[in-house]
Amino acid sequence: MRYIALLGSPRKDGNTAALLASFLEGAASKGHSGELIRLHEKKILPCAGCNACKTEGKCILSDDMTALYPLVEEAEVIVHAFPVYWWSMSAQTKLFQDRLYAMDYTHFKGKQLFLLTTYGGEDPNSGPRLCEQSFRDICEFLDMQFRDCIGVCSGTTPVRDNKRALERAFLAGASI
């Protein structure tokens, strides 16, 4: 299967990147391939709320999102990986997600979604649960399949040292 993996963290080698890398290793172990997009490296403007995408068929903004739309359309699996900031998704993820409004929603039907989140502090923590519920609602609205959510607290142990979390991410990637 073909995936698009979206790293919504500004840290290329941080906790979220480690979790995503393990997921992608699992996917590769079963022959799946796709694109890894580091959202922090992309220039994605906020949605202008102008509705031109709905009346004229495409977004009027000219930025890196233009090249990402076809990758989303082609992917059978969308993997969102981001740190939870202030009980929500990162700004990089939010910008990307908001701009999906411009797409024809029929392109999402049947796609699978995996959610990988990391967060500081300690458990229990309501931030990951709130993010998961947002994406479950999005999947229901778009007729997508919400496959799995892996939330890892990195408050005491960095993800790269959390063998249990890395194994769970690997197995989730292999399950695509």
Side-chain angles (χ1 to χ4, degrees):
M1 291 193 128
R2 187 117 180 102
Y3 62 77
I4 182 170
L6 304 152
L7 179 59
S9 173
R11 298 181 181 154
K12 283 168 55 167
D13 298 315
N15 289 307
T16 307
L19 194 63
L20 179 57
S22 187
F23 180 96
L24 296 180
E25 286 173 20
S29 77
K30 298 295 184 182
H32 306 296
S33 63
E35 301 288 331
L36 168 59
I37 307 298
R38 291 180 177 89
L39 294 174
H40 190 69
E41 296 174 357
K42 301 296 180 188
K43 181 181 179 181
I44 301 176
L45 298 168
C47 177
C50 65
N51 261 352
C53 58
K54 301 304 179 194
T55 59
E56 299 177 32
K58 71 177 216 169
C59 182
I60 63 164
L61 299 176
S62 180
D63 61 7
D64 290 339
M65 196 66 191
T66 304
L68 298 180
Y69 289 129
L71 298 177
V72 173
E73 285 181 26
E74 295 165 5
E76 298 164 275
V77 177
I78 298 174
V79 184
H80 268 294
F82 57 83
V84 176
Y85 293 154
W86 286 98
W87 296 271
S88 189
M89 65 189 85
S90 66
Q92 294 85 349
T93 300
K94 183 66 169 137
L95 284 169
F96 173 86
Q97 196 63 33
D98 282 352
R99 291 288 298 285
L100 293 181
Y101 177 73
M103 292 182 66
D104 176 348
Y105 296 162
T106 62
H107 290 295
F108 292 98
K109 185 175 182 161
K111 290 184 189 295
Q112 299 176 36
L113 185 124
F114 287 84
L115 185 61
L116 310 174
T117 63
T118 59
Y119 51 97
E122 45 188 56
D123 284 323
N125 186 313
S126 64
R129 181 179 44 79
L130 294 170
C131 292
E132 178 179 351
Q133 189 58 55
S134 291
F135 278 92
R136 283 187 180 278
D137 290 345
I138 290 166
C139 285
E140 184 177 335
F141 177 73
L142 294 174
D143 203 16
M144 294 175 65
Q145 182 184 4
F146 188 97
R147 284 289 309 276
D148 200 0
C149 176
I150 300 173
V152 179
C153 181
S154 58
T156 58
T157 305
V159 171
R160 70 179 167 277
D161 297 333
N162 187 332
K163 292 185 187 338
R164 185 171 168 231
L166 293 173
E167 177 67 15
R168 185 164 176 226
F170 182 93
L171 292 173
S175 77
I176 292 177

